[in-house]
Amino acid sequence: MIKVLREMGHPHEAAKVAIEKQRMMRKARKIGKPARFAGGRTWSEKAKNRFFWAIEWLSAFVRNVFHDFSGALVGYGYNVTRGIVLLVLAASAFSVCFEIGYDNGYFAPTNAIMQQAYHNQCGAPGDTVDASGQKGRAAAMMKKSWNDPACTPPEYTSFQAFFYSLDLILPVVNLGQDGDWAPMVVDAKGDTLWWGEALRGLIIIEILFGWGLTLLIAAVMTNLIKKD
């Protein structure tokens, strides 16, 4: 039926039928069903059969997980557009978190020379600088956040949350954002910045999600995932 619909010029209807077929096969446990444990007459034979059964069970589990994820993300290979849309939506959602982190001063430039040049006036939230020798100023002054224009020279890469997110989620793309900016996880006193740690965690999650979904899309487009 899928082939007939496709030959009749109804690719979208054919894809819908194919996706429903995959769902029914998964529901009927025809995908990733492990073999039954064969047992054995002797102890060594039982141990050998149990070992191979465990490998078969693990293989079936991986196939099931991959099948479920491919169905949710790219419609079992019949809906690549869904995967591309999910990439854009995920990048947008993560970029909101990064923008909030940047606005609150938890991102800093990664350039060591620039950090050394501006470390007396710029730092993490709550960092202070000794101003006791300056007339009319308190003994401790709050440092500026790295998002302050005075903390980065004009020629340095400006932080753009959405492009920063794209830089992370697309493995083969280099927009010069994630290499120039990173979340701060400790302040000048060595105390942990938990918001910075949370941002670092989000970065790891986005990179893993981006690699997984991008490879899945690439596998579909190069016919590595067999359909029908």
Side-chain angles (χ1 to χ4, degrees):
M1 183 178 179
I2 299 170
K3 184 179 179 181
V4 172
L5 285 171
R6 194 174 289 123
E7 290 176 348
M8 290 175 62
H10 302 291
H12 296 295
E13 288 74 11
K16 289 180 181 179
V17 174
I19 291 172
E20 189 58 32
K21 173 188 172 183
Q22 292 292 326
R23 287 174 179 165
M24 291 178 67
M25 290 176 64
R26 178 71 173 91
K27 191 174 182 180
R29 300 188 66 184
K30 291 184 178 181
I31 294 175
K33 185 178 180 180
R36 293 180 121 190
F37 176 54
R41 293 183 178 180
T42 64
W43 178 87
S44 60
E45 195 174 301
K46 287 181 180 179
K48 177 183 176 183
N49 290 339
R50 188 175 293 277
F51 173 75
F52 285 111
W53 176 83
I55 294 177
E56 175 64 24
W57 183 89
L58 182 60
S59 175
F61 175 77
V62 172
R63 289 197 300 271
N64 283 332
V65 171
F66 178 80
H67 187 265
D68 292 342
F69 271 99
S70 67
L73 299 177
V74 292
Y76 306 106
Y78 297 97
N79 193 350
V80 180
T81 304
R82 180 193 298 175
I84 297 172
V85 170
L86 284 173
L87 272 178
V88 175
L89 290 177
S92 301
F94 279 106
S95 71
V96 173
C97 300
F98 298 145
E99 184 65 41
I100 294 173
Y102 177 77
D103 289 342
N104 285 276
Y106 287 100
F107 274 92
T110 57
N111 187 290
I113 297 176
M114 196 174 75
Q115 285 195 5
Q116 185 65 27
Y118 288 87
H119 80 281
N120 284 330
Q121 54 181 317
C122 306
D127 282 355
T128 59
V129 61
D130 185 11
S132 56
Q134 300 182 35
K135 186 177 179 180
R137 296 197 174 184
M141 281 178 52
M142 295 293 294
K143 287 185 178 181
K144 298 176 182 177
S145 297
W146 285 103
N147 58 13
D148 193 300
C151 290
T152 53
E155 64 272 14
Y156 194 76
T157 305
S158 60
F159 183 88
Q160 303 290 335
F162 182 70
F163 292 112
Y164 186 88
S165 186
L166 283 180
D167 227 348
L168 297 171
I169 205 168
L170 298 177
V172 295
V173 172
N174 182 11
L175 301 176
Q177 286 283 321
D178 65 329
D180 288 346
W181 292 90
M184 293 178 288
V185 294
V186 292
D187 59 18
K189 296 178 291 185
D191 295 334
T192 300
L193 297 172
W194 294 109
W195 285 110
E197 290 282 6
L199 289 168
R200 178 180 283 183
L202 287 177
I203 287 173
I204 295 173
I205 292 171
E206 185 174 17
I207 290 173
L208 293 176
F209 178 79
W211 268 100
L213 186 50
T214 302
L215 290 175
L216 195 58
I217 292 172
V220 172
M221 297 183 73
T222 55
N223 294 320
L224 289 177
I225 295 180
K226 294 181 180 180
K227 298 181 285 186
D228 298 343

